[in-house]
Amino acid sequence: QAKRFVFEGREINLSKTCGIFITMNPGYAGRTELPDNLKSMFRPISMIVPDSAMIAEIILYGEGFSQCKLLARKVNTLYNLAVQQLSKQDHYDFGLRALVSVLKYGGRKKR
């Protein structure tokens, strides 16, 4: 196990408590693949789809709503129906970031 390495002419200490992570989202428009020489330096891992209903419930609790489990289920159902039934055009965004924005906006309106 190396304790130091050379990067752009500088010798750098390695720390076992530090890691470098990159996130690649293949398939997004305008994104390019990581070159093979860099890809070989990283270990790939798989990600799962986040539980939107649980995230919505937690955000609703944080925004001061009551009956958050029921509300989160309804909001999640609404978003799933929107994804399935509305246009697939790029300018429609029903991802997690949009869901969080709507829930936080609802919290601001509630106050």
Side-chain angles (χ1 to χ4, degrees):
Q1 293 259 349
K3 298 196 186 276
R4 300 174 67 77
F5 74 103
V6 178
F7 179 72
E8 294 187 351
R10 294 182 60 195
E11 198 167 310
I12 300 173
N13 291 327
L14 288 175
S15 172
K16 292 182 181 183
T17 60
C18 179
I20 298 174
F21 302 91
I22 60 170
T23 303
M24 299 295 293
N25 295 326
Y28 272 37
R31 300 276 170 93
T32 59
E33 284 287 319
L34 196 63
D36 287 334
N37 62 335
L38 288 177
K39 199 181 291 187
S40 67
M41 301 173 93
F42 292 93
R43 179 176 52 182
I45 61 168
S46 297
M47 304 292 285
I48 60 170
V49 176
D51 185 351
S52 299
M54 182 183 290
I55 293 169
E57 182 181 348
I58 292 166
I59 291 171
L60 288 168
Y61 272 120
E63 294 294 334
F65 285 89
S66 57
Q67 298 181 346
C68 295
K69 191 176 280 298
L70 176 66
L71 279 173
R73 200 173 330 121
K74 287 182 178 184
V75 169
N76 195 43
T77 302
L78 173 70
Y79 261 69
N80 286 336
L81 287 171
V83 167
Q84 291 169 9
Q85 296 182 4
L86 296 179
S87 173
K88 304 291 184 220
Q89 294 177 0
D90 289 340
H91 59 273
Y92 291 115
D93 180 15
F94 298 106
L96 189 57
R97 190 174 293 144
L99 174 63
V100 169
S101 294
V102 167
L103 295 174
K104 289 191 175 196
Y105 179 76
R108 284 195 306 271
K109 285 300 208 183
K110 183 181 183 301
R111 284 184 228 117

